[in-house]
Amino acid sequence: MEKKYFVLHMFPLRPDFAQTRTKDEQSIMKRHLAYWSSLMNKGKVLVFGPVLDPKSPYGLGIIEVDNEQELKEFIENDPAKKFHMFKYFPMQAIVPQK
């Protein structure tokens, strides 16, 4: 089966989220980091992390999945979904041969 690639954007629901996170939100973001790291270790995430836009930082990832539904499940299970909005788009990725 040919893999599908998506660019995934994660936008905080408030622009100053990175600067004003509560302790509870910080704890959830640690779980968020562990969650996406585990998917990376399974070969589902090529790269991810914060984009340090001075206006409002946001998250970005390049995801490799079998189908779009798999990506939707990743988003649904993200611990940080309750205070972030996700957008994703198909990507015609050029990746190294395995």
Side-chain angles (χ1 to χ4, degrees), residues 7-47:
V7 61
L8 175 64
H9 296 262
M10 184 180 89
F11 299 99
L13 295 180
R14 60 179 198 273
D16 63 347
F17 177 79
Q19 297 82 15
T20 63
R21 286 187 283 206
T22 66
K23 287 188 180 193
D24 182 50
E25 290 169 336
Q26 288 174 8
S27 175
I28 291 169
M29 290 307 290
K30 286 181 183 177
R31 292 190 350 243
H32 161 79
L33 175 61
Y35 174 73
W36 286 100
S37 293
S38 73
L39 292 172
M40 178 178 273
N41 292 336
K42 294 175 184 173
K44 298 295 185 173
V45 177
L46 302 179
V47 63

Side-chain angles (χ1 to χ4, degrees), residues 8-15 17 51 53 56-60 80-89:
L8 175 64
H9 296 262
M10 184 180 89
F11 299 99
L13 295 180
R14 60 179 198 273
F17 177 79
V51 176
D53 182 336
S56 180
Y58 61 93
L60 182 75
K81 73 174 184 168
K82 69 181 185 179
F83 44 77
H84 285 86
M85 177 182 67
F86 291 86
K87 290 185 179 182
Y88 63 87
F89 304 94

Side-chain angles (χ1 to χ4, degrees), residues 57-82:
Y58 61 93
L60 182 75
I62 306 297
I63 315 300
E64 177 183 305
V65 290
D66 295 325
N67 55 59
E68 185 176 354
Q69 183 57 40
E70 188 176 13
L71 174 60
K72 289 179 180 181
E73 290 170 11
F74 292 165
I75 293 168
E76 183 61 30
N77 293 315
D78 187 332
K81 73 174 184 168
K82 69 181 185 179

